[in-house]
Amino acid sequence: MLQCTKCGRKYPLEKHQQRCPLCNEPLEVVAQRGKIREGKRVWDRFRDFYSYMNLDMKYSLGEGDTPLILSESLSQEFKAEIYFKNETVNPTWSFKDRGTFVALNRALSLGFDKIGVVSTGNMAASVAAYGARAGVKTFVLLSSTVSQEKISQIGIYGAKMFLIDGDYGALYFESLKIGERLGIYFMNSDDPFRIEGYKSIALEIGEIDYVIIPTSSGGLLRGIMKGFLEMKESGLIDRLPVPIAAQASGCAPICRAFREGGDVRRMENPATIAHAIENPYPPSGNAALRLLRRYDGRCVALDDEDIIRARRKLAKEGIFVQPASATAPAALEKLKDLKGKRIALILTGSGLKTKGIEYISQIPICKIENIEGCMGEI
Ligand SMILES: *Cc1c(COP(=O)(O)O)cnc(C)c1O
Ligand SMILES: [Zn+2]
């Protein structure tokens, strides 16, 4: 079954549905329980937690099973046990691959032969890669502020790209309508099966006191907490970690709502160097807020200077992350009571950028009112 993250209403798993028609809040797969099984891959060891669907390894690019590394210097500095969950080593260099793999399996099981995504870059690269692997047509709607470096990666996988001129927050909802009309499965940031993929991060970590999560749309936070909750309900861990959302000060709609109360509101004029977490109107914002409030979580907003400093600090330990990911180590400085705690920092994506302008001139610029027309023959 699928279940609304707000009202709890249930919907059949067989039907393609991503949000609750009553609340307009994201759906999720009902909580699973299980044991740890034998197997090399996370998808094998934790197959009980995905027993409602078939994960075909033919479409896998080797996502997940990333290293959990003790940070000697941060542990010393904060007198705690601090681990890096290094997601930069995923096939397209961000954790998005875990979610894309599961969502792609979902799309194919429902008979879709076209997939799509709305993204500022990392998720688009991931969907383009897995779409290529599966041989399905892939459509990527990019905000017109996307960097040329990211476009070179998406381009080589062969996805059809569209730079969308218009409100990025509205684009998300627009994509779901277009998907319905054109038979494209949009596996956006809050897709229930993308969230299922992210839950594997928690399954790999196990018991911990705090988990610090760079947060934009809120999907990653939802997935990680779902994983910990299912482990606890299955008796695999004794307690849940305290969830800590890390946002950039220049775009922190979830932290603002957490502080002021109420639902998430659109952030005007977002501005940060951490572009991967620059969603001004996060589709899973309220769902993430519910988790932070229910599990005594925190939300920390970091300035660009904090982010730049933390990024250099990580590089000194041999890890090169995107500015978005550096919000996790930067958040440590803002927290109290870390002494003696076991803490996992989710290092969400790699800092490696490739130069590439070879595709930019070929991408049509579309008006948000006329994306379909602009997409032409698909
Ligand atoms: C997508 C992304 C995030 C945030 O994930 P959400 O699910 O949108 O909250 C954080 N860091 C990086 C590098 C990302 O690509
Ligand atoms: Zn609902």
Side-chain angles (χ1 to χ4, degrees):
M1 298 289 263
L2 291 167
Q3 186 167 25
C4 174
T5 53
K6 184 174 184 193
C7 73
R9 191 176 293 258
K10 289 190 173 152
Y11 299 93
L13 194 63
E14 294 71 34
K15 189 168 170 265
H16 176 47
Q17 200 173 340
Q18 293 164 318
R19 294 181 82 85
C20 176
L22 298 173
C23 312
N24 195 22
E25 283 289 305
L27 301 181
E28 64 182 16
V29 176
V30 292
Q32 306 290 306
R33 281 186 196 188
K35 289 205 228 24
I36 306 178
R37 308 279 179 180
E38 288 293 311
K40 228 174 106 213
R41 305 280 312 271
V42 65
W43 310 124
D44 297 325
R45 291 194 307 284
F46 291 94
R47 59 180 173 269
D48 290 4
F49 294 83
Y50 298 91
S51 60
Y52 54 85
M53 73 185 291
N54 178 41
L55 292 177
D56 191 336
M57 290 305 143
K58 187 164 78 208
Y59 306 120
S60 173
L61 290 167
E63 59 293 322
D65 296 301
T66 59
L68 186 69
I69 310 162
L70 181 73
S71 166
E72 301 282 352
S73 72
L74 293 181
S75 298
Q76 226 170 42
E77 182 181 343
F78 294 97
K79 304 201 168 27
E81 217 176 290
I82 298 176
Y83 293 90
F84 299 135
K85 184 61 173 158
N86 185 3
E87 291 296 304
T88 73
V89 301
N90 273 296
T92 72
W93 306 288
S94 86
F95 72 91
K96 296 288 194 311
D97 293 339
R98 297 174 185 263
T100 304
F101 171 64
V102 177
L104 173 74
N105 271 279
R106 166 70 173 176
L108 296 176
S109 78
L110 293 176
F112 282 87
D113 61 357
K114 300 187 233 8
I115 61 172
V117 73
V118 170
S119 169
T120 51
N122 287 329
M123 190 159 52
S126 178
V127 172
Y130 283 78
R133 171 94 184 163
V136 293
K137 275 192 177 171
T138 306
F139 301 90
V140 174
L141 307 185
L142 294 157
S143 82
S144 49
T145 59
V146 68
S147 74
Q148 298 186 350
E149 289 84 352
K150 283 177 176 166
I151 286 172
S152 78
Q153 188 188 4
I154 304 163
I156 197 150
Y157 295 131
K160 288 200 182 302
M161 292 182 272
F162 301 90
L163 285 179
I164 308 300
D165 177 11
D167 172 13
Y168 186 69
L171 178 57
Y172 161 84
F173 290 100
E174 202 53 41
S175 76
L176 297 186
K177 286 188 227 151
I178 291 169
E180 214 168 293
R181 288 200 291 271
L182 302 183
I184 302 171
Y185 187 112
F186 270 90
M187 44 187 72
N188 292 338
S189 61
D190 68 337
D191 176 81
F193 296 87
R194 172 170 290 289
I195 305 302
E196 289 297 291
Y198 297 165
K199 122 185 150 179
S200 62
I201 297 174
L203 303 177
E204 289 174 21
I205 294 174
E207 194 163 283
I208 203 104
D209 298 310
Y210 291 93
V211 57
I212 308 186
I213 308 167
T215 299
S216 181
S217 76
L220 176 61
L221 191 144
R222 283 176 57 205
I224 288 177
M225 285 314 285
K226 190 169 191 285
F228 283 121
L229 279 158
E230 292 184 7
M231 286 190 108
K232 175 139 188 293
E233 282 178 21
S234 302
L236 297 175
I237 56 173
D238 291 330
R239 59 203 147 82
L240 290 175
V242 173
I244 296 159
Q247 296 211 282
S249 309
C251 185
I254 296 177
C255 287
R256 183 176 65 186
F258 187 68
R259 199 173 57 238
E260 295 175 357
D263 279 357
V264 75
R265 282 179 298 116
R266 179 191 301 270
M267 189 100 187
E268 301 302 335
N269 309 317
T272 168
I273 54 160
H275 296 299
I277 53 169
E278 201 173 17
N279 190 327
Y281 193 46
S284 288
N286 291 328
L289 278 167
R290 282 190 286 277
L291 290 167
L292 291 176
R293 287 171 181 148
R294 192 173 309 150
Y295 299 110
D296 207 16
R298 311 200 196 144
C299 199
V300 185
L302 290 312
D303 295 341
D304 282 357
E305 299 81 77
D306 302 327
I307 292 170
I308 292 165
R309 202 164 357 99
R311 190 166 179 247
R312 287 213 194 96
K313 218 154 126 185
L314 282 187
K316 289 216 171 92
E317 285 204 67
I319 296 184
F320 181 29
V321 296
Q322 304 193 353
S325 312
T327 56
L332 288 171
E333 318 251 351
K334 314 280 176 188
L335 296 166
K336 296 189 188 79
D337 316 322
L338 297 183
K339 221 169 155 187
K341 296 281 197 273
R342 301 183 71 224
I343 304 165
L345 310 182
I346 312 299
L347 303 183
T348 47
S350 164
L352 250 197
K353 304 255 184 198
T354 51
K355 283 251 177 288
I357 51 165
E358 55 266 57
Y359 300 103
I360 188 94
S361 61
Q362 303 163 18
I363 308 172
I365 297 179
C366 311
K367 284 266 179 267
I368 192 159
E369 302 80 8
N370 181 34
I371 299 168
E372 265 181 70
C374 182
M375 286 168 82
E377 198 62 47
I378 63 170

